[in-house]
Amino acid sequence: MCKRNRIVLLEIAGVVISIILLISLIYIAQRFFSATAQPINHKLSDVNIESTTYEVTETTQSSVSITTTSIITSTNATEQTIATDAETTIIVEVDEETFEETVEDTIEETNDESIEIDLSNLYISADLNVNETTGMSKEQFVYLMNNFSYDYNGLFSRNSGLIWDLCQEYNINEVFFVGLIGAESLWGSHEAHIATCNYTSIKSEGYLVEYSSEYEGLTASAQLICNKYFSDIGTTLDSISKIYCPDNPETFDIDESLEWKELVFECMKLFVSDRKNT
């Protein structure tokens, strides 16, 4: 009987010891996880922004609202990594007037080259204000020059884009500029004008001014028309003719300025009639 009681006591002691060991393990585990858990309130120096995405959430006339989403992780290698999302709204002030002007300038620059006109309504007259462009797009003008019947040596097709750009920059009527080149250089085919790259008969001391390239010669012509004739003389064929081709007192029976005006206008009419055939 005594021996049996001892066995029971030993079994009870074993159970008690097992329970104590289990409780000890649970306590140790709780302490361990409690010690290694990452606190929520990181110091700024202990975090690293791994990636940032931007999304425009709202725009107004005076400001732009931008929401940023950042992934924040701990930089301490001995601590457990915790990832959280943080959202920040940034208000960026915009200069309303400057912004509107920039947009308008961009639209104007785009429209200058892309807006097309009805070429059948292209109008010229002897008293036309040649200080105004026709409004045709660059693409239209280049197309006309590439199919121009009077482009005998390729001057107009080679320089179509340049001529259009110069007319826009110096506010010269494109039909007039082409007609002037045609009248002064036989549509760019006269040898002296080809040799000097001077297609509008700009002279110094009675001789054609020599230019190093067609670009330089055409640019000089546009600048002269704008800065000298438009500014100081006038903006019609009649007013320009009196200075561009003044009457020679030795040939009083010939009206050189009138003949020049009529020649340029005839060349302008050839330009307009030719575009109907393209």
Side-chain angles (χ1 to χ4, degrees), residues 177-178 180-185 193 196-203 208 211 217-218 220-222 224-225 229 244 260:
F177 198 36
V178 171
L180 174 63
I181 295 171
E184 290 294 337
S185 66
H193 294 276
T196 57
C197 295
N198 183 342
Y199 295 97
T200 57
S201 299
I202 301 175
K203 293 182 178 181
L208 288 174
Y211 296 101
L218 291 170
S221 298
L224 180 68
I225 292 169
Y229 292 95
Y244 209 103
W260 180 89

Side-chain angles (χ1 to χ4, degrees), residues 148-156 186-189:
F148 193 36
S149 300
Y150 303 96
D151 189 15
Y152 298 129
N153 74 342
L155 172 71
F156 295 98
L186 295 178
W187 299 109
S189 65

